[in-house]
Amino acid sequence: MILDDFLFRAALAGLGVAIAAAPLGCFVVWRRMAYFGDATAHAAILGVALALGFSMSVFAGALVVALVMALTVSALSGRGYAMDTLLGVMAHSALAFGLVAVSFLQGVRIDLMAYLFGDILAVSKPDLLIIWGGAVLVLFLLVWRWQALLTATLGSDLAYASGIDPKREQLVLTLALALVVAVAIKVVGVLLIAAMLIIPAAAARPLSATPERMACIAVLIACLSALGGLQASFSLDTPTGPTIVCVAALIFALTNLFRVLSRKPA
Amino acid sequence: MTLIETRDVDIRHGANTVLRDVNLTIDRGEIVTIVGPNGSGKSSLLRALIGAIQPAQGTVTRAPGLRIGYVPQTLHIDPTLPMTARRFLSLPRRHATADLDKALEQAGLPDLHDRQMADLSGGQFQRVQLARALMEKPDLLILDEATQGLDQPGSAAFYRRIEEVRHDLGCAVLMVSHELHVVMSASDRVICLNGHICCEGKPEVVVSAPEYRAIFGTGTGGALALYRHRHDHDHHHDHTCDHDHEAAE
């Protein structure tokens, strides 16, 4: 069966993360939540450590801790804190605590690299099910709430006046973010999840006239990066997660170069 | 018919009471303007009416199914968010392309549907904002200093458009404005706000009210003179209103 091929499973896993992370990443970019994504992703390593310690599913552990982190950050935002400092503190201390927690566990130290940088080639069939389950759930959330999310992104007062509660929409994004983090750990690892959110969206921006178009192009770019990165890492013998991000970064450079070159002289 | 009503509303920002004892009603089809110095709680009042802030005390009652069209003072669209004028009109609900084009034409912007919002001039941007607020056929149109940054002809054209809209849709209009000469000619009712409702009524009544004069100056030279001097006069007055102006900042 074709799913027995580890490369095919890796490709499917990469595509699963791409289709969920890219459109969510658009909102992360539009709403300037990049650090927010970082904090959530970095916190997930603590979830991994806890899950391994209590012999639970790594997905569940990462999801729960990512969700707690995302909700905390979400609650703190808009209360007049210096958000970038606070997020920087939380992102990196969560990572540090996670790493320390992992070191207490016997016999998993070797696995740490797999969670920091991902281990897409080791994706199993049950992993695939979880990745695609999570991805479809995230896509469903985004499509279902799309208009409300977009209105709330433009301005919270605009949303309130239309009977939309921007806090609820923020919660939808928070939930989606935790889901993406949980499913992306295996593929790109906690250190590079934010890259899969932000880079495809940023690469799509110069080619887009509407939000929908930007989301679709971001998905295409993310898929291209996943497949291209997998291919490149196979032939160059490089770590797969970082290679995927490198391909995305190259596409970002290309599309932005294209914008600079195609800009009409003033 | 009453569209929206506040009863004994107090609004606080932290420990500061920005507004106290606000009682007001807006009825179908009337144009009501709120005037008042900076920090008098005008925007806070509008935000309480649309439900963006909860009053610390009192109640805001909206008629069941009330549709509000809202044009904020400024709308910052992040440069990473691509948004054409036509797409913008389809928020929060989608509309048929034909309706969108018709709305842009009525707004006097027939050729701009594919233009990015970021590339519009200030006047065009506000007209698109107004067009968006009108897409839902609102019962109540709320404008927060919608002509800020527009030049005289631009804001005059904007207010003419609002008058047209009121005529066509029969909606009520509630606006905050600094342009007193426009306010006085275009409003059915004026509410003078400074931490509470100082006075309200028909424009000509309000202009001669001592509370209003205390804030905007005296003289019967008319609102235009007041408007001209808006930038260099301060708000010393003889305290006919018994409230603390510091609290309103």
Side-chain angles (χ1 to χ4, degrees), chain A:
Chain A
M1 188 179 157
I2 196 161
L3 280 180
D4 291 332
D5 180 354
F6 76 96
L7 266 183
F8 191 77
R9 286 200 304 272
L12 274 185
L15 291 177
V17 169
I19 62 157
L24 179 62
C26 289
F27 282 105
V28 171
V29 167
W30 296 334
R31 297 167 74 107
R32 312 217 152 184
M33 290 163 57
Y35 242 127
F36 186 95
D38 250 349
T40 307
H42 288 180
I45 197 76
L46 189 61
V48 169
L50 292 175
L52 291 174
F54 294 102
S55 322
M56 282 162 36
S57 147
V58 168
F59 281 111
L63 180 63
V64 168
V65 175
L67 197 57
V68 169
M69 179 62 139
L71 288 174
T72 309
V73 172
S74 190
L76 289 176
S77 71
R79 289 203 188 174
Y81 288 96
M83 272 316 278
D84 54 345
T85 307
L86 194 65
L87 280 173
V89 170
M90 291 181 76
H92 298 109
S93 44
L95 182 62
F97 275 107
L99 294 176
V100 169
V102 170
S103 77
F104 281 121
L105 302 166
Q106 308 232 307
V108 289
R109 202 177 289 228
I110 336 105
D111 288 331
L112 193 57
M113 285 294 276
Y115 296 108
L116 287 179
F117 296 109
D119 192 4
I120 194 174
L121 300 181
V123 166
S124 66
K125 280 186 220 170
D127 288 345
L128 266 185
L129 201 64
I130 292 175
I131 290 173
W132 275 88
V136 167
L137 192 55
V138 168
L139 269 189
F140 168 78
L141 274 176
L142 291 182
V143 170
W144 174 44
R145 304 301 311 166
W146 186 263
Q147 288 284 107
L149 282 170
L150 214 49
T151 307
T153 298
L154 278 172
S156 56
D157 285 354
L158 222 55
Y160 277 119
S162 308
I164 296 166
D165 183 354
K167 290 195 209 100
R168 190 181 54 202
E169 306 311 322
Q170 170 80 32
L171 201 63
V172 169
L173 286 181
T174 304
L175 186 64
L177 191 62
L179 274 169
V180 164
V181 166
V183 302
I185 281 192
K186 198 102 190 190
V187 177
V188 286
V190 293
L191 292 182
L192 293 174
I193 289 173
M196 284 305 283
L197 287 167
I198 293 156
I199 301 179
R205 175 63 185 94
L207 309 176
S208 316
T210 62
E212 289 74 23
R213 192 155 164 201
M214 181 160 152
C216 291
I217 295 178
V219 168
L220 282 180
I221 290 173
C223 289
L224 207 65
S225 309
L227 297 180
L230 196 59
Q231 176 80 43
S233 89
F234 193 67
S235 50
L236 300 173
D237 193 23
T238 50
T240 313
T243 312
I244 290 174
V245 174
C246 288
V247 173
L250 288 175
I251 298 176
F252 168 82
L254 277 179
T255 59
N256 279 278
L257 193 67
F258 167 79
R259 181 184 55 179
V260 172
L261 292 181
S262 65
R263 191 176 289 161
K264 287 175 219 119

Side-chain angles (χ1 to χ4, degrees), chain B:
Chain B
M1 182 189 142
T2 299
L3 297 176
I4 200 161
E5 179 176 21
T6 70
R7 189 163 291 174
D8 304 325
V9 162
D10 283 12
I11 295 171
R12 296 201 185 104
H13 287 331
N16 282 345
T17 300
V18 183
L19 278 172
R20 68 180 81 226
D21 290 334
V22 175
N23 287 291
L24 89 110
T25 57
I26 310 286
D27 293 328
R28 179 167 292 283
E30 63 175 345
I31 296 187
V32 179
T33 306
I34 301 174
V35 298
N38 290 332
S40 59
K42 304 184 296 285
S43 290
S44 297
L45 178 57
L46 292 194
R47 297 190 68 224
L49 292 178
I50 62 172
I53 41 180
Q54 292 301 317
Q57 248 169 45
T59 51
V60 176
T61 315
R62 295 175 198 86
L66 178 73
R67 287 188 306 269
I68 295 177
Y70 176 63
V71 180
Q73 193 173 357
T74 51
L75 184 68
H76 172 76
I77 299 183
D78 197 275
T80 59
L81 175 57
M83 184 63 71
T84 60
R86 190 198 264 150
R87 180 66 189 89
F88 182 74
L89 295 188
S90 262
L91 289 169
R93 266 162 285 278
R94 290 186 182 277
H95 301 277
T97 311
D99 293 344
L100 299 175
D101 289 345
K102 197 172 142 214
L104 281 171
E105 204 178 302
Q106 282 172 346
L109 307 162
D111 304 319
L112 294 179
H113 37 263
D114 288 327
R115 190 79 68 85
Q116 287 291 307
M117 292 294 284
D119 297 337
L120 298 178
S121 72
Q124 289 168 338
F125 193 96
Q126 287 307 81
R127 267 144 79 190
V128 174
Q129 280 230 70
L130 178 62
R132 189 201 68 85
L134 296 175
M135 288 307 292
E136 299 288 324
K137 306 220 174 342
D139 309 301
L140 172 61
L141 186 61
I142 297 183
L143 306 122
D144 190 357
E145 294 184 44
T147 57
Q148 211 183 37
L150 300 191
D151 58 12
Q152 285 284 350
S155 76
F158 193 86
Y159 285 113
R160 272 200 303 278
R161 176 84 186 108
I162 288 168
E163 183 63 55
E164 256 172 56
V165 163
R166 195 255 305 242
H167 186 261
D168 294 348
L169 287 180
C171 61
V173 180
L174 175 65
M175 55 188 172
V176 164
S177 183
H178 276 310
E179 292 169 284
L180 298 179
H181 62 298
V182 180
V183 171
M184 294 308 158
S185 63
S187 313
D188 300 320
R189 195 146 62 88
V190 174
I191 295 174
C192 178
L193 205 64
N194 197 6
H196 64 174
I197 294 181
C198 294
C199 52
E200 66 169 302
K202 289 190 186 311
E204 55 275 18
V205 176
V206 168
V207 173
S208 53
E211 293 90 346
Y212 176 89
R213 290 188 177 182
I215 293 170
F216 290 105
T218 48
T220 46
L224 187 56
L226 299 177
Y227 170 72
R228 279 203 196 113
H229 292 125
R230 198 169 64 81
H231 300 294
D232 51 49
H233 84 283
D234 54 17
H235 299 296
H236 287 311
H237 59 80
D238 51 7
H239 291 278
T240 44
C241 323
D242 55 340
H243 59 264
D244 178 13
H245 283 261
E246 301 310 314
E249 289 302 318

